[in-house]
Each structure stands twice: as C-alpha cells, then as structure tokens.
Amino acid sequence: MAAAAARWLGLRAVYVGPGHTGAEGRAGWARRLAVPSVLFPQAPARAAWTRVAVASRSGEQGRGGLQRGCGRRGQRLGLPRSPSLKAYGVAWGPSRCGSSMAEAPATKTEDDSFLQWFLLLIPVTAFGLGTWQVQRRKWKLKLIAELESRVMADPVPLPADPIELQNLEYRPVKVRGHFDHSKELYMMPRTMVDPAREAREAGRISSSTESGAYVVTPFHCTDLGVTILVNRGFVPRKKVNPETRQKGQVEGEVDLVGMVRLTETRKPFVPENNPERNHWHYRDLEAMARVTGADPVFIDADFQSTVPGGPIGGQTRVTLRNEHMQYIITWYGLCAATSYLWFKKFLRRTPGM
C-alpha cells in the first residue's frame, strides 16, 4: 500500500539499509518500503525534487514526509504514522503537484490571444475583398458603357491597315465586295442570338434553342483589294450544307455592315479546331486565313444582311457579365457576420468563460 501511495504521490522511497536500524523487524519493513525504488528507479517527471533523510534510531532529523508529502494525501490513504518510518530514515519529499495546474492558465491565455488575433483576419479579409469588388464594379460599368457606345456608333469604312483594327473591336464598319461561297467555314455548334427569345425564356430550366452553325465566308473587298472573313450568320444544323440553301448564296457585289471581331484563344473544355473536317470551335484568325487565303480580318455581318433562305445575320453577342454587386453583398455580409461573432466572443465574454 505504501508503494501504491508513493507511486500516486509521485515520490520515491529510498532504503538506507539495515546498518542504520539494528532491528531485523524494522529492517524487513524498510526492505518492503524499498520495493518501489526498484520498480520505478527513475523519479516521475512531475517530481521537482526527492529528499532523503537518514535518521538515527531515536528518530532525530526524521520527518514524516509520507504524511505531509503533497497536501496530506498520505493521511487520506490511511498510511501508518509509525515512528519506525522516521527511525529507519525513510522520507518522501513533496513533488511539484500543482505545477501543471499553475502553467495551464498561462498557456491557455497565450492560446486565446493568438486565436483572437488570428480569427480577426476573417472579417478584415472579407472587408478587403468587398472593397476590391466595389472597384471592379466601377471598372466593369465603365467598360460596358464604352462597349455600348461603340456598338451604337455609326459605321466607318474598314481601315486599310489591319493594325488599326486592334482598337476597333465591336465597332461597326462598312465594306463593299462579293462573297466566295466555295470556301465556306463552319463554326459549330452554335445557337442563334435572339434577344427577344432569350428574354422570354429567362429563368427557364429548358430551352427550345436549335443548334446549328455560323457560316464564315471569304469576302473580297473591291475598294481595298483585300479578302476578309465575314460571319454571315446562323443556320440550323440541317441547313449547314450549302446545297440546301442555294437561294441564300448571294452573288455579285453587295454592301455590308458588320462589327469587327478579333481572334480568340481556346478556352478550357473547348475542343480543338478541326480544319480537315471544317469544324471550328473558336475564332483562330491565323488558321482560318491560311485555309481560305484571306487576310486575318473578321467581321460579324449585321441583321440587315439577312436574305431569304440564307444565314441569319446579327449574331454578335454584345454582353458583359456584371455580377460584382452580388460579390459585394456577399463579402460585406460575411465581414459583418464574422465581426459580430468576434466581438461577442472576445470583447463581451463573461469572466471565467
């Protein structure tokens, strides 16, 4: 029982040997007390120190450390207060029982302080992102206004220098010349741009849109002496073959108005162009120009160019996504919610929590 008490109290018994006792019975008791030191020769990590007192037979300098070891736990265990313990010089010194408990509040305070300032980064970051979206929205609104002004501007003659076209995207231009229907290209799959129909079907899960292709035809400009590429418009899939729409194959010189479009790069998940099969999924002006022998200049013919039986013009989608207001509400809302929770947690918490 003494060994169990010593183990529980974090103490180590030391046997001073029979030379200090002179009594066989007492020596036997001292040997029994020495067993814990064999079982756990190293003092537990929580013990601050171990004190051994060698006493005489009369008990001088002996101490009842077992009973006083750590807050009188020895008495609660019912250990004997026999003078033989003093006489045989067995003593236990108190271990650092409350050290871990003393260090715990300091560690907890440090952790709470770190957590407090770390969690403050959430509302601060959300506020920064919301402010950034405000600036993005201003930029997008300015870009939309500029784009609308270009689209609604009066058409100008097509510049002779292709470099000037870099600043004229979505700007209407006018040309005069004739088509070369023998070198048609097909951008597919495409759906017809119809603002009225799209407004009617807004919010619907399904749509009645028919799939088809855009017919891109080389156009020789009489005034400039160059050949450009013209997107004549949309045809349904069953009308992709030009033999099914002979009435729409315009012959002779015509005047056209169209919007300048620049080349584009392939977006993720968009298939590669397949010139061998004449399937084009995005505008690669350099590749299209090589196949047709035209210059890398591309315009979308307007709706007025539509003829009976031919492609439907006006297939330029002039829209820019402007969802920045939703992002602003989201980020500022997150900032407000997390700021309230942080304030409630760290500034208004009751003592002891």
Side-chain angles (χ1 to χ4, degrees):
M1 188 171 185
R7 183 186 296 273
W8 184 77
L9 291 172
L11 307 174
R12 183 173 61 180
V14 177
Y15 171 53
V16 298
H20 297 276
T21 62
E24 191 64 26
R26 294 179 179 179
W29 169 245
R31 292 191 188 95
R32 288 195 296 272
L33 288 180
V35 172
S37 64
V38 177
L39 294 178
F40 43 100
Q42 298 297 327
R46 64 177 180 272
W49 49 272
T50 302
R51 183 178 58 203
V52 178
V54 180
S56 63
R57 294 186 180 182
S58 61
E60 294 179 359
Q61 299 180 357
R63 298 184 182 181
L66 180 60
Q67 285 80 7
R68 296 193 297 268
C70 205
R72 310 202 55 85
R73 292 182 180 175
Q75 291 183 1
R76 290 199 298 270
L77 287 174
L79 296 177
R81 302 186 56 155
S82 170
S84 61
L85 296 178
K86 298 179 180 179
Y88 286 89
V90 181
W92 286 269
S95 63
R96 192 173 55 184
C97 299
S99 61
S100 298
M101 298 179 62
E103 294 175 357
T107 304
K108 186 175 184 300
T109 302
E110 295 177 359
D111 293 344
D112 287 349
S113 178
F114 172 78
L115 182 64
Q116 174 181 354
W117 298 113
F118 179 76
L119 291 180
L120 187 61
L121 291 176
I122 298 177
V124 170
T125 303
F127 181 82
L129 291 173
T131 304
W132 177 64
Q133 287 296 330
V134 170
Q135 302 300 322
R136 291 278 297 174
R137 183 174 181 270
K138 292 180 180 179
W139 168 80
K140 183 61 70 67
L141 291 176
K142 181 179 179 181
L143 185 62
I144 291 174
E146 180 182 352
L147 181 60
E148 290 177 349
S149 65
R150 285 190 180 189
V151 172
M152 302 303 297
D154 295 332
V156 297
L158 181 68
D161 187 359
I163 298 180
E164 297 182 22
L165 296 175
Q166 299 298 321
N167 298 322
L168 295 179
E169 188 170 22
Y170 294 108
R171 181 67 187 268
V173 295
K174 53 186 179 182
V175 293
R176 180 177 179 81
H178 62 273
F179 289 104
D180 183 1
H181 298 292
S182 64
K183 297 180 179 180
E184 285 183 349
L185 304 179
Y186 307 111
M187 298 183 65
M188 57 194 312
R190 291 292 187 274
T191 56
M192 186 175 68
V193 175
D194 186 353
R197 175 186 56 77
E198 292 174 359
R200 290 194 307 269
E201 297 180 352
R204 294 184 184 179
I205 299 177
S206 60
S207 177
S208 59
T209 304
E210 184 179 7
S211 178
Y214 290 166
V215 179
V216 180
T217 308
F219 185 86
H220 182 74
C221 299
T222 305
D223 298 338
L224 300 177
V226 297
T227 301
I228 64 174
L229 298 171
V230 176
N231 175 17
R232 295 186 61 197
F234 172 83
V235 294
R237 185 177 294 274
K238 61 183 179 181
K239 293 288 186 179
V240 172
N241 190 337
E243 295 179 0
T244 61
R245 46 183 171 82
Q246 287 296 326
K247 290 177 60 177
Q249 303 297 81
V250 180
E251 300 292 342
E253 286 195 345
V254 295
D255 292 319
L256 284 179
V257 174
M259 292 185 183
V260 176
R261 303 302 304 275
L262 302 180
T263 190
E264 60 183 355
T265 57
R266 186 176 71 90
K267 298 179 181 179
F269 308 111
V270 174
E272 293 283 357
N273 290 328
N274 191 342
E276 289 76 13
R277 299 183 58 187
N278 198 6
H279 288 177
W280 302 83
H281 301 284
Y282 61 95
R283 286 190 310 276
D284 186 349
L285 299 190
E286 295 294 336
M288 290 178 170
R290 287 195 301 269
V291 171
T292 59
D295 291 345
V297 178
F298 193 102
I299 64 173
D300 287 337
D302 63 3
F303 183 76
Q304 304 302 324
S305 66
T306 305
V307 296
I312 301 173
Q315 298 302 305
T316 306
R317 188 178 296 277
V318 190
T319 56
L320 290 176
R321 295 178 58 185
N322 184 15
E323 300 177 350
H324 298 288
M325 181 56 71
Q326 301 177 21
Y327 299 146
I328 291 172
I329 295 174
T330 299
W331 288 120
Y332 279 153
L334 179 62
C335 174
T338 53
S339 297
Y340 170 75
L341 294 175
W342 186 89
F343 178 79
K344 184 177 180 182
K345 170 68 176 176
F346 295 106
L347 298 186
R348 295 186 60 185
R349 61 183 179 180
T350 57
M353 294 185 64

